[in-house]
Amino acid sequence: MAQAKNILFIMFDQLRWDYLSCYGHPHLDTPNIDKLASKGVRFDRAYIQAPICGASRMSTYTGRYVNSHGAGWNNIPLRVGEPTLGDHLRKQGMDCWLIGKTHMAADTEGMERLGIERGTQIGERVAQCGFDVFERDDGMRPEGPDGPYDPGGALTYNEYLRSKGYEGDNPWHDYANSGLDSDGNVLSGWFLKNNSLPANIREEDSETPYMTRRGMEFIENAQGPWCCHLSLIKPHWPYIVPEPYASMYGPQHFLPVVRTEEERDNAHPVLRAMMNGPVSKTFSRMEARDAMLGAYMGLIKQIDDQMGVLFDWLEETGRMKDTMIVLTSDHGDFLGDHWLGEKQFFFDNSTRVPLIVYDPSPEADATRGTVSDALVEQIDLVKTFYEVAGGKVDDIAHQVEGHSLMPILHGQATEQPRAVAICEYDYSATPLRNALNVDVADARAFMATSKRWKLIHFEGGFRPMLFDLEADPQELVDLGDSPDHAAIIAEMYEHLHAWFRRCDQRITKSRAALTQMGTGIQRRGVTIGVYSEDEANPELVTKYLGRKARPWQEVVAAQSGAAE
Amino acid sequence: MAQAKNILFIMFDQLRWDYLSCYGHPHLDTPNIDKLASKGVRFDRAYIQAPICGASRMSTYTGRYVNSHGAGWNNIPLRVGEPTLGDHLRKQGMDCWLIGKTHMAADTEGMERLGIERGTQIGERVAQCGFDVFERDDGMRPEGPDGPYDPGGALTYNEYLRSKGYEGDNPWHDYANSGLDSDGNVLSGWFLKNNSLPANIREEDSETPYMTRRGMEFIENAQGPWCCHLSLIKPHWPYIVPEPYASMYGPQHFLPVVRTEEERDNAHPVLRAMMNGPVSKTFSRMEARDAMLGAYMGLIKQIDDQMGVLFDWLEETGRMKDTMIVLTSDHGDFLGDHWLGEKQFFFDNSTRVPLIVYDPSPEADATRGTVSDALVEQIDLVKTFYEVAGGKVDDIAHQVEGHSLMPILHGQATEQPRAVAICEYDYSATPLRNALNVDVADARAFMATSKRWKLIHFEGGFRPMLFDLEADPQELVDLGDSPDHAAIIAEMYEHLHAWFRRCDQRITKSRAALTQMGTGIQRRGVTIGVYSEDEANPELVTKYLGRKARPWQEVVAAQSGAAE
């Protein structure tokens, strides 16, 4: 073992925290990921900062809350000038590369205003959320009547597929994400009823093995020190997986759906509107859940096998000795729990994610194989990585929120220095806002959770929600209008408001620079509130003493004389 | 009268709201400014957003709270990418020029990271807070043992003075801001005991007439439409003024100092630390106040005379017909009130400023000569100016806080849509932080004031302060620990926290764009939560229907055959 020199930062998309065997899934065996956990620390209370891909990732890649960086939803661009993980690591001499998905939307208006051009190194980094790009692939190429959702989506992967003989304009859809009937009709994976079919693709050509190989290609040729963000799309929809994974899991392996009639009947107005949305309606039908859940589990099993390939290769090539490995997800998936589909709310199924950190350093030996129940936020990773790169967290504390995980990884702490974890949900750009008739500025909600209590605050005049995570870990009983819990609600609001009041925009001066300013200014001649010379610090006012001048009348007379 | 075409935005520095005759000063007659008020609207409750030059101005020039832009103190740079007044006006075809002071500190680190170079048009605008610079002069050239406070300060003015025969390396100091004894010794205006001397300069060569002329030079040659920010340093310290103003005001004209023994004895810990600072100690001595207050008043009288010159010239040249004129200050001055000097706290003497808006448009005829007691913030100016330039405020509402004054100016409203005005005080870079032993992140305080109640919240664990502005307009009785006022304090905290929760960083998507996103996304093929083809909107899923593919085994076999 040696000090970690490089960082392999693996992120999956829409992977629920409880769908790995090391996190307790009884029927989904993930021995390779579990093995990584046995060599590192498995964090059991890791929260993402927004229950949607883009916003969650913008927080993770900047180390800043959504409320700080402003990119609160998919395709809301990250404003030009937000400092990123890549900016920080490169200052320490560590490269920062992307292989896969970020969901970054470039702030083209801001770039234009500042004269920053695509195609330049700086312009590309600004447009790519601070990463240098080995392969950008947000993992999807949906197509509608107005064209593709993402004009740049899956282009390289589609090229790869065509090079392997999968023809057509979008083999990502036709092969990797669809089944096939005996007449040669593509049965699209977009439709849940097709999700139990095997994807019509050779397993090694499907997305998870492809992108894992791309990660290995990068690492094989990378000069250190590097941070490699290997960012894989699955088990994100379309939920469909090739054989042998397509046939592995059936109803006998499914966790029961977690929901009650009572929670639906008494749902908070915002939650009710979500339950009444078409996506939730569909996922609440058992036939839909049963059609997709086997594929979802198969995709995770495939992920685990690919992680085995990757980790074995790292071991064989000696890289396990000097590479920190982080494995996590950008959010979870409701899978019909709480009468919801997708991820756009604050239940743990979405906001809590798997997070495993393997640090090869000897300092981490004391914690190998342990489980931490510290309240962790995914924005904690930026400072953690910055320390691996050799930086001191205090130097970036004015730009990066979150707290380094190093003290926990090295056995020096068991908790993170926070009372609550925060997650934010901006639904201003969604149909939910229309359904609730809420103003664009008010279509926002905030979760503050301790280990015991989860408060959800809504702008726009709604009452809060509250869950008791100890008595009700499945979050079925909303106590937000319980008079008996008024004191707890008030206490949780104190925490939430303390968070709102944090200092998050003073990013142009470090703590050290501010401290220095508080002592040094008087040496540059600003002499405020000094009555007379003899009361002043003589060293500081020498410039104002012993000077000579002429009466102004003399100056003016000489000047007008000179002018004549 | 015609529609306002151009904007003359005049700002003074450290001009107290109550030191103009139109605002009620009994001994300081300012007929020219009063005349402007008689032609426009005089706002009687206008608050700045920070009680310090730089931070206040960064808010005014961006239309954003300090908590939003982050530049909370002098010389904390405004982060690259903050949209400015200039950015907004230029989009509407209006130029935005600076003549005088901004106290802008460029974010050189951010500019370097983004590859934005000084000397380019974009780089200069970024470095100058969005202005094009006719003359930048922050109005001061202090010099200490470590050199000048502002290496670029007063350079052009010093050149001007030398061209007029005022010799030396710093005639700004030796002539414009000092007296002279009969032996030719410079008696520096930095020392308050010298403030009752006449400045040793011909009146027309002193700073206020000089910069007023520079403004007229700009206007004379400007092509419209333009916004001209004429930003004058006085009555800011050094408090010293040439004759005839030096002899105009004596103790018989001074307002009595406003302070009580009781407020000092019972002062809140942060306020007490301020009172105990050297500047406050000095200004609390009547000899010091008496030495400087005549000069302070004389500087204001000179300002009024120069405004008379300027306004008469605008009238004569026909410009009064199509120019909006705004006259305000960046903050006030305690002048010994509350046992304080300078401006760095939340009493009205500092946070409330004069604000007069003259709009030549016929729509404004109904309000000419009226006084508005609406709760106004200086950040309201950006949207006001944007409307003059022809823009619609909703288009910049995602980037600009504050509310246009137009409804009040045009008689359509009497109040601004806010419950409280906000002012922020970041003392992290000051000796006060050390004196109080507060962390850099916690050295911040926030004022929320309604017309009746002023709440002051401190980070760092201090109790709040509260003033009843109706019963106690001089703010002498702090009710922050009054049990009788617990409900009021709680109510004011509600307002403050609602403000903290505002949406201030989502600056890359307009309200209209977000609204559109909420309805349009499904047309690009993201088909989530649709069970079967027949349940989908057929228009939206056409791309996924009727497609053909081959079984993957056939693809692979063909490929391996081709490879052989």
Side-chain angles (χ1 to χ4, degrees):
Chain A
M1 292 295 175
Q3 292 295 325
K5 181 181 145 208
N6 303 315
I7 300 165
L8 175 56
F9 172 27
I10 304 166
M11 185 178 282
F12 298 100
D13 199 306
Q14 205 135 336
L15 172 62
R16 253 173 84 137
W17 72 278
D18 55 350
Y19 273 65
L20 298 170
S21 46
C22 58
Y23 279 89
H25 198 292
H27 308 300
L28 182 47
D29 192 33
T30 51
N32 297 295
I33 293 174
D34 294 5
K35 186 176 169 194
L36 186 75
S38 76
K39 299 202 285 186
V41 176
R42 180 170 70 76
F43 291 93
D44 202 36
R45 288 179 194 268
Y47 284 95
I48 44 87
Q49 274 53 76
I52 183 83
C53 304
S56 172
R57 289 161 181 269
M58 294 307 104
S59 282
T60 303
Y61 303 153
T62 60
R64 290 163 62 75
Y65 295 101
V66 173
N67 188 254
S68 306
H69 63 66
W73 198 250
N74 288 344
N75 303 315
I76 294 183
L78 184 72
R79 61 183 290 189
V80 165
E82 276 289 301
T84 61
L85 173 65
D87 295 319
H88 302 301
L89 295 185
R90 281 188 291 268
K91 272 193 290 191
Q92 292 297 324
M94 180 180 276
D95 289 338
C96 189
W97 286 85
L98 170 69
I99 296 94
K101 170 166 176 168
T102 60
H103 224 124
M104 169 72 179
D107 177 10
T108 49
E109 184 267 337
M111 290 177 69
E112 192 182 328
R113 178 158 45 88
L114 297 177
I116 302 168
E117 289 178 21
R118 292 297 299 254
T120 63
Q121 187 181 57
I122 287 174
E124 286 304 301
R125 285 174 177 168
V126 167
Q128 298 287 3
C129 197
F131 291 102
D132 288 319
V133 174
F134 183 79
E135 178 169 343
R136 164 87 181 260
D137 186 342
D138 278 5
M140 296 198 303
R141 194 159 178 86
E143 294 177 273
D146 292 343
Y149 170 75
D150 175 6
L155 292 185
T156 308
Y157 179 59
N158 262 341
E159 269 172 42
Y160 164 83
L161 291 179
R162 278 189 289 268
S163 79
K164 294 291 180 182
Y166 302 94
E167 69 278 350
D169 62 323
N170 192 0
W172 172 87
H173 174 264
D174 294 348
Y175 289 94
N177 285 283
S178 290
L180 193 73
D181 73 10
S182 53
D183 296 328
N185 294 305
V186 171
L187 300 172
S188 175
W190 284 110
F191 305 115
L192 300 178
K193 79 172 177 49
N194 297 332
N195 287 171
S196 52
L197 300 170
N200 179 32
I201 192 167
R202 183 167 59 170
E203 193 270 331
E204 69 181 69
D205 294 332
S206 63
E207 288 163 283
T208 299
Y210 166 81
M211 200 58 81
T212 303
R213 285 194 304 275
R214 290 291 283 158
M216 290 159 68
E217 283 169 37
F218 168 79
I219 292 170
E220 189 145 37
N221 297 297
Q223 306 298 314
W226 45 260
C227 174
C228 167
H229 182 40
L230 178 59
S231 185
L232 300 105
I233 183 66
K234 294 299 182 185
H236 190 283
W237 39 257
Y239 309 101
I240 190 163
V241 67
E243 292 292 12
Y245 303 102
S247 305
M248 277 186 188
Y249 301 101
Q252 70 276 24
H253 305 112
F254 296 170
L255 294 178
V257 69
V258 176
R259 66 189 190 195
T260 65
E261 296 289 337
E262 197 185 359
E263 74 170 324
R264 184 170 57 179
D265 295 345
N266 300 322
H268 183 283
V270 177
L271 180 56
R272 173 176 295 131
M274 299 215 65
M275 289 172 173
N276 287 336
V279 173
S280 292
K281 286 282 188 198
T282 303
F283 278 93
S284 295
R285 285 155 57 188
M286 290 309 286
E287 63 181 337
R289 184 176 192 266
D290 288 347
M292 58 72 61
L293 195 49
Y296 184 76
M297 293 176 68
L299 285 164
I300 296 169
K301 183 67 181 172
Q302 182 187 32
I303 280 169
D304 187 70
D305 285 343
Q306 289 301 312
M307 291 300 99
V309 171
L310 174 63
F311 298 155
D312 287 350
W313 176 78
L314 291 170
E315 191 73 74
E316 285 158 21
T317 57
R319 293 184 170 94
M320 204 59 118
K321 287 202 295 283
D322 64 2
T323 304
M324 170 178 275
I325 302 176
V326 173
L327 186 150
T328 189
S329 176
D330 63 347
H331 54 72
D333 190 318
F334 292 125
L335 300 173
D337 290 352
H338 304 289
W339 310 95
L340 297 172
E342 274 278 86
K343 57 245 181 179
Q344 303 171 16
F345 202 65
F346 294 119
F347 293 113
D348 269 14
N349 324 56
S350 176
T351 58
R352 189 172 168 185
V353 288
L355 176 63
I356 296 166
V357 182
Y358 159 74
D359 178 356
S361 313
E363 291 86 345
D365 287 348
T367 62
R368 295 195 194 288
T370 62
V371 180
S372 167
D373 78 337
L375 211 46
V376 165
E377 295 178 332
Q378 209 169 61
I379 59 172
D380 293 348
L381 293 175
V382 170
K383 282 186 183 163
T384 307
F385 295 175
Y386 191 69
E387 288 205 270
V388 173
K392 290 185 167 41
V393 293
D394 215 38
D395 293 344
I396 57 171
H398 59 304
Q399 299 183 331
V400 182
E401 303 180 288
H403 304 284
S404 172
L405 297 172
M406 279 299 182
I408 293 177
L409 296 173
H410 291 179
Q412 298 151 348
T414 55
E415 298 291 346
Q416 288 293 74
R418 60 169 60 92
V420 292
I422 299 287
C423 190
E424 301 175 63
Y425 170 41
D426 179 335
Y427 60 97
S428 59
T430 76
L432 181 64
R433 184 186 73 78
N434 294 321
L436 289 163
N437 194 27
V438 169
D439 187 83
V440 160
D442 291 336
R444 298 175 299 132
F446 301 86
M447 174 193 97
T449 191
S450 66
K451 292 183 183 179
R452 173 81 189 267
W453 300 104
K454 181 185 283 189
L455 176 82
I456 300 171
H457 165 78
F458 300 88
E459 289 294 293
F462 302 101
R463 70 160 174 87
M465 293 175 74
L466 181 76
F467 293 100
D468 181 344
L469 300 179
E470 274 182 24
D472 174 30
Q474 293 188 312
E475 305 175 275
L476 292 167
V477 183
D478 173 12
L479 303 166
D481 55 2
S482 157
D484 293 345
H485 293 81
I488 292 294
I489 289 171
E491 186 187 318
M492 294 303 292
Y493 262 109
E494 289 282 313
H495 290 307
L496 182 65
H497 282 137
W499 173 78
F500 270 112
R501 298 195 311 263
R502 77 200 182 280
C503 185
D504 60 316
Q505 297 303 321
R506 198 176 60 196
I507 67 171
T508 60
K509 283 280 182 193
S510 69
R511 290 173 58 88
L514 291 167
T515 303
Q516 207 281 327
M517 283 171 74
T519 59
I521 193 167
Q522 286 298 326
R523 293 186 55 86
R524 294 197 176 271
V526 175
T527 304
I528 318 172
V530 173
Y531 182 69
S532 63
E533 303 88 320
D534 54 308
E535 295 177 8
N537 180 335
E539 192 204 346
L540 302 184
V541 297
T542 47
K543 292 273 187 182
Y544 302 137
L545 302 176
R547 299 178 78 103
K548 292 280 184 180
R550 292 183 292 162
W552 70 262
Q553 295 87 344
E554 197 177 298
V555 170
V556 169
Q559 188 77 359
S560 69
E564 277 163 19
Chain B
M1 293 294 176
Q3 291 297 323
K5 180 182 147 206
N6 303 315
I7 300 165
L8 174 55
F9 172 27
I10 304 165
M11 185 178 284
F12 298 100
D13 199 306
Q14 205 134 335
L15 173 61
R16 252 172 84 137
W17 72 278
D18 54 352
Y19 272 64
L20 297 170
S21 47
C22 58
Y23 279 90
H25 198 292
H27 308 299
L28 183 47
D29 191 31
T30 51
N32 296 296
I33 293 174
D34 294 6
K35 185 176 171 194
L36 186 75
S38 77
K39 299 202 285 186
V41 175
R42 181 170 70 76
F43 290 94
D44 201 35
R45 290 180 191 268
Y47 284 95
I48 42 88
Q49 274 53 77
I52 182 82
C53 304
S56 171
R57 289 159 182 271
M58 294 308 104
S59 282
T60 303
Y61 303 152
T62 59
R64 290 163 62 76
Y65 295 102
V66 173
N67 188 253
S68 305
H69 62 65
W73 198 249
N74 288 343
N75 303 317
I76 294 184
L78 185 72
R79 62 182 291 190
V80 165
E82 276 290 300
T84 63
L85 173 64
D87 295 319
H88 301 302
L89 294 185
R90 282 189 289 269
K91 271 191 290 190
Q92 293 297 322
M94 180 180 277
D95 289 338
C96 189
W97 286 84
L98 170 70
I99 296 94
K101 169 165 177 168
T102 59
H103 224 124
M104 168 72 178
D107 177 9
T108 50
E109 184 268 334
M111 290 176 70
E112 191 182 329
R113 176 157 46 87
L114 296 178
I116 302 168
E117 289 178 21
R118 293 297 298 254
T120 63
Q121 185 180 60
I122 287 174
E124 286 305 300
R125 286 173 176 169
V126 167
Q128 298 286 4
C129 198
F131 291 103
D132 287 320
V133 174
F134 182 79
E135 179 170 342
R136 164 85 183 259
D137 187 344
D138 278 6
M140 295 199 303
R141 192 159 178 86
E143 294 176 272
D146 293 344
Y149 171 74
D150 175 6
L155 293 184
T156 309
Y157 179 58
N158 263 340
E159 269 172 43
Y160 165 82
L161 290 178
R162 278 190 289 268
S163 80
K164 294 291 178 185
Y166 303 93
E167 67 279 348
D169 62 323
N170 192 0
W172 172 87
H173 174 265
D174 295 348
Y175 289 93
N177 285 283
S178 291
L180 192 74
D181 72 12
S182 53
D183 296 327
N185 294 305
V186 171
L187 300 172
S188 174
W190 284 110
F191 305 116
L192 299 179
K193 79 171 175 53
N194 296 332
N195 287 172
S196 52
L197 300 170
N200 179 31
I201 192 165
R202 181 168 59 171
E203 192 270 330
E204 69 180 68
D205 294 331
S206 62
E207 287 164 283
T208 300
Y210 166 80
M211 200 58 79
T212 303
R213 286 196 301 276
R214 292 291 283 157
M216 289 157 68
E217 284 170 37
F218 168 80
I219 292 169
E220 189 145 38
N221 297 297
Q223 306 298 314
W226 45 260
C227 174
C228 166
H229 181 40
L230 178 59
S231 184
L232 301 104
I233 183 65
K234 294 299 183 187
H236 190 282
W237 38 256
Y239 310 99
I240 191 163
V241 68
E243 294 289 15
Y245 302 103
S247 306
M248 277 186 189
Y249 301 100
Q252 70 277 26
H253 305 112
F254 296 171
L255 295 178
V257 68
V258 176
R259 64 190 190 194
T260 65
E261 296 290 337
E262 198 184 357
E263 76 171 321
R264 185 171 57 179
D265 295 345
N266 300 322
H268 183 284
V270 177
L271 180 56
R272 173 175 295 132
M274 299 214 66
M275 289 172 172
N276 288 335
V279 173
S280 293
K281 286 282 188 199
T282 303
F283 277 93
S284 295
R285 287 156 56 188
M286 290 308 286
E287 63 180 339
R289 185 176 190 266
D290 287 347
M292 58 72 61
L293 194 50
Y296 183 77
M297 292 175 68
L299 285 164
I300 296 168
K301 183 66 181 172
Q302 184 188 30
I303 281 167
D304 187 69
D305 284 344
Q306 288 300 313
M307 291 301 99
V309 171
L310 174 62
F311 299 155
D312 286 350
W313 176 78
L314 291 170
E315 190 74 71
E316 285 158 19
T317 56
R319 293 185 169 93
M320 205 59 123
K321 288 202 296 281
D322 64 4
T323 304
M324 170 177 275
I325 302 176
V326 174
L327 187 149
T328 189
S329 175
D330 63 347
H331 53 73
D333 190 318
F334 292 125
L335 300 174
D337 290 352
H338 304 290
W339 310 96
L340 297 173
E342 275 277 88
K343 57 245 183 181
Q344 303 172 15
F345 203 65
F346 295 118
F347 293 113
D348 269 15
N349 325 57
S350 176
T351 57
R352 188 171 168 186
V353 288
L355 175 64
I356 296 166
V357 181
Y358 159 73
D359 178 356
S361 313
E363 291 85 346
D365 288 349
T367 62
R368 295 195 193 287
T370 61
V371 179
S372 167
D373 78 337
L375 209 46
V376 165
E377 296 177 331
Q378 209 170 59
I379 59 172
D380 293 348
L381 293 175
V382 171
K383 282 185 184 165
T384 308
F385 295 174
Y386 190 69
E387 287 204 90
V388 173
K392 290 186 167 44
V393 293
D394 215 37
D395 294 343
I396 58 171
H398 59 304
Q399 299 184 330
V400 182
E401 303 180 288
H403 304 283
S404 172
L405 297 171
M406 279 298 182
I408 293 177
L409 295 173
H410 290 178
Q412 298 151 348
T414 56
E415 299 289 346
Q416 288 293 72
R418 60 169 60 90
V420 292
I422 299 288
C423 189
E424 302 176 61
Y425 171 40
D426 180 335
Y427 59 97
S428 59
T430 77
L432 181 65
R433 185 187 73 78
N434 294 321
L436 289 163
N437 193 27
V438 168
D439 187 83
V440 160
D442 290 337
R444 298 177 299 133
F446 301 84
M447 175 192 96
T449 191
S450 67
K451 293 183 184 180
R452 171 84 189 267
W453 300 104
K454 182 185 282 189
L455 176 82
I456 299 170
H457 165 78
F458 300 87
E459 289 294 292
F462 302 101
R463 69 161 173 85
M465 294 176 74
L466 182 76
F467 293 100
D468 181 341
L469 301 179
E470 275 182 23
D472 173 29
Q474 293 187 313
E475 304 175 275
L476 292 166
V477 183
D478 172 13
L479 302 166
D481 54 2
S482 156
D484 292 347
H485 292 80
I488 291 295
I489 289 173
E491 186 187 319
M492 292 304 291
Y493 263 109
E494 289 281 313
H495 290 308
L496 182 64
H497 281 137
W499 173 79
F500 271 111
R501 299 195 310 263
R502 77 202 181 279
C503 186
D504 61 314
Q505 297 303 323
R506 198 176 60 196
I507 67 171
T508 59
K509 282 281 180 191
S510 69
R511 291 173 58 88
L514 291 168
T515 303
Q516 206 281 325
M517 283 171 73
T519 58
I521 194 168
Q522 286 296 325
R523 292 188 54 87
R524 294 197 176 271
V526 175
T527 304
I528 319 172
V530 173
Y531 182 70
S532 63
E533 302 88 319
D534 54 308
E535 294 177 8
N537 179 333
E539 191 205 346
L540 301 183
V541 297
T542 47
K543 291 274 188 180
Y544 302 138
L545 303 175
R547 298 178 77 105
K548 291 281 184 179
R550 291 182 293 160
W552 68 262
Q553 296 86 346
E554 197 178 299
V555 171
V556 170
Q559 188 76 359
S560 69
E564 278 162 17

